[in-house]
Amino acid sequence: MTDKTLLRKELLEKRRNISLLLRHAKSRKILRKLSLEPEFRRAEHVALYYGIVPEVETRFLLKKVLKDKKLYLPAVAPKKSLMLRQVRSLSRDLKQGAYNIMEPKASCKKRSADRMDIFIVPGVAFDKTGGRMGRGGGYYDRLLRKAKKVIKIGLCFKEQLVRKVPMRMHDVKVDRVITD
């Protein structure tokens, strides 16, 4: 196994060991911090993700964004890629997608990644320089490469911060990491 694979496995286990109650409290704290970020407050078009257990819970934030911004969530597309689709209603516009993650239905309007104001992304690990490690499929890296000028913010628990994420040429860094 590579260093990256071992690190991913170790951090996924750490994240799984955070109790449900603590994960909920930590998620609320992270989302409060994000909501105070000037770039987030100014953003009209927000690309976010539908958090799955045991990631940072985003459902509360999804509801908040829907009230005063335009919300876009990723949907798995051909060739191991993601596309962004606008969500206007969490109850009507989402369906169970690939990897059991809720994603927008095909009827939702597409918008290109470079037309977002801000990207909020998940990860398995982050470092202080913006290094990000996902689950290993490269889906987000391919999507984020299309949004070079868009501010990218990673959300994670403190347990997911590492000194240095092993990065490869195709890996995309985030501009900032928000944690509890």
Side-chain angles (χ1 to χ4, degrees):
M1 273 195 250
T2 66
D3 289 346
K4 202 169 185 176
T5 305
L6 288 171
L7 180 61
R8 183 178 287 113
K9 186 178 178 181
E10 174 189 326
L11 290 170
L12 285 170
E13 184 63 28
K14 265 188 184 180
R15 191 172 67 178
R16 260 191 304 275
N17 288 332
I18 301 171
S19 73
L20 182 63
L21 196 58
L22 184 56
R23 188 169 56 246
H24 184 70
K26 287 164 136 322
S27 293
R28 289 261 184 191
K29 186 174 182 179
I30 291 166
L31 299 181
R32 262 194 313 275
K33 286 181 177 182
L34 173 63
S35 69
L36 297 174
E37 290 287 324
E39 295 91 350
F40 179 79
R41 294 171 75 91
R42 282 193 303 266
E44 181 182 346
H45 298 276
V46 178
L48 224 136
Y49 66 96
Y50 194 101
I52 58 169
V53 173
E55 293 175 333
V56 172
E57 299 168 13
T58 59
R59 193 161 171 83
F60 170 76
L61 182 61
L62 295 171
K63 290 176 182 178
K64 181 178 177 169
V65 170
L66 277 172
K67 289 180 184 175
D68 57 350
K69 300 176 185 295
K70 292 181 180 159
L71 173 66
Y72 301 85
L73 294 177
V76 174
K79 299 181 184 173
K80 285 188 141 188
S81 64
L82 295 175
M83 71 176 80
L84 295 170
R85 293 188 178 274
Q86 185 175 5
V87 173
R88 295 171 190 256
S89 164
L90 295 178
S91 60
R92 290 188 307 271
D93 291 345
L94 298 178
K95 66 175 180 67
Q96 188 102 12
Y99 308 103
N100 294 320
I101 299 171
M102 297 302 285
E103 64 179 39
K105 294 177 180 176
S107 58
C108 296
K109 185 176 157 186
K110 289 184 201 175
R111 187 172 179 96
S112 62
D114 63 337
R115 295 182 61 213
M116 293 297 121
D117 295 321
I118 193 167
F119 250 101
I120 311 302
V121 299
V124 173
F126 291 94
D127 65 33
K128 291 182 182 190
T129 66
R132 176 190 170 275
M133 180 172 59
R135 292 179 167 190
Y139 286 87
Y140 266 95
D141 290 314
R142 284 187 283 282
L143 182 64
L144 294 174
R145 250 191 312 266
K146 297 174 187 174
K148 288 181 172 76
K149 295 180 181 177
V150 179
I151 184 96
K152 299 161 197 68
I153 298 179
L155 303 183
C156 73
F157 302 116
K158 285 181 184 172
E159 291 84 348
Q160 296 172 258
L161 287 176
V162 296
R163 194 177 60 72
K164 180 97 173 106
V165 170
M167 300 284 288
R168 295 203 178 112
M169 196 97 141
H170 62 273
D171 294 331
V172 177
K173 286 187 170 196
V174 295
D175 299 295
R176 194 170 344 350
V177 179
I178 298 177
T179 187
D180 54 310

